[in-house]
Amino acid sequence: MLLAGTLQTLDTETTGMSPAQGHALVEVARVAIVDGAIGETWSSLVRPGRAIPPDASSVHGITDAMVAQAPQPAEVGRVLRAGCGGAPLVLHNATFDLPFLNAMMRGAGIEPLWNPVVDTLGLARGLFGAGGNSLGALATRLQLPKEPAHRALGDALTTARLFLLLAGRWELEKGVTSLGELAAVSQDVVRLTGRR
């Protein structure tokens, strides 16, 4: 069965677009999916070690004052890594979040997240075409429950619900029967439909 077992849905909020440019995490969340149902949730602010630019704060609403007493990245990374274990991960646009998460892990001397990854962006593009597949647009189109947008826990919950809906459609409409196949096809679609 495609949805048997445990997966971990992840989402992040950051100071900018790329850890290679010195940007860092300000919030991270994890939502478990257990045998096709939403399970345990966890989230934490993260002290980024740099000021949060106003344009980033205007998106997620997280300010320097909010993260002033937040845990250090190493502490958050250890808790997150333990929570994920070896479970498959679900992310929306994994190519954005994973570099930030793995930069935090490496900076703390923690093993990066080498887990299998299902990207709901690829699942959506494979069903609906290349345009209009932001998390917010999909949540509206598919009438998912409203959560705080651009906050890690709200977006992780939305991603988990989106995954459950899209995985069911891939199984019914496209004959995908294993999580490994779903992970592979989701990433293939992202690569094939990405900007050139």
Side-chain angles (χ1 to χ4, degrees):
M1 180 175 151
L2 187 58
L3 297 178
T6 299
L7 301 93
Q8 298 292 340
T9 307
L10 304 179
D11 191 77
T12 67
E13 302 300 333
T14 70
T15 64
M17 298 304 290
S18 171
Q21 296 172 352
H23 294 289
L25 293 171
V26 295
E27 189 175 44
V28 63
R30 177 180 59 77
V31 173
I33 301 172
V34 182
D35 294 331
I38 304 293
E40 173 194 48
T41 67
W42 169 87
S43 68
S44 179
L45 291 169
V46 184
R47 200 176 316 175
R50 60 167 290 164
I52 302 173
D55 58 337
S57 282
S58 71
V59 173
H60 48 56
I62 300 170
T63 64
D64 290 330
M66 291 169 67
V67 297
Q69 301 302 316
Q72 294 285 352
E75 181 183 343
V76 175
R78 282 191 291 274
V79 173
L80 179 65
R81 193 72 191 81
C84 290
L89 306 177
V90 178
L91 298 100
H92 191 79
N93 193 12
T95 56
F96 176 82
D97 297 274
L98 280 177
F100 280 100
L101 291 165
N102 284 331
M104 177 178 68
M105 300 293 181
R106 286 188 184 100
I110 301 167
E111 180 185 359
L113 294 164
W114 300 126
N115 309 41
V117 173
V118 179
D119 195 328
T120 53
L121 178 60
L123 297 182
R125 286 178 178 174
L127 291 170
F128 308 129
N133 292 307
S134 71
L135 189 59
L138 288 164
T140 299
R141 180 192 308 176
L142 300 171
Q143 300 179 330
L144 299 177
K146 292 198 181 304
E147 297 287 349
H150 302 297
R151 289 301 300 266
L153 184 56
D155 285 352
L157 282 163
T158 298
T159 300
R161 292 181 181 118
L162 178 64
F163 167 78
L164 291 171
L165 191 152
L166 297 180
R169 287 192 57 176
W170 274 86
E171 187 172 22
L172 285 172
E173 297 172 26
K174 299 191 179 276
V176 172
T177 57
S178 76
L179 199 59
E181 187 181 358
L182 196 64
V185 75
S186 74
Q187 292 175 46
D188 286 347
V189 171
V190 169
R191 278 193 292 274
L192 291 171
T193 58
R195 292 183 183 147
R196 293 171 181 38

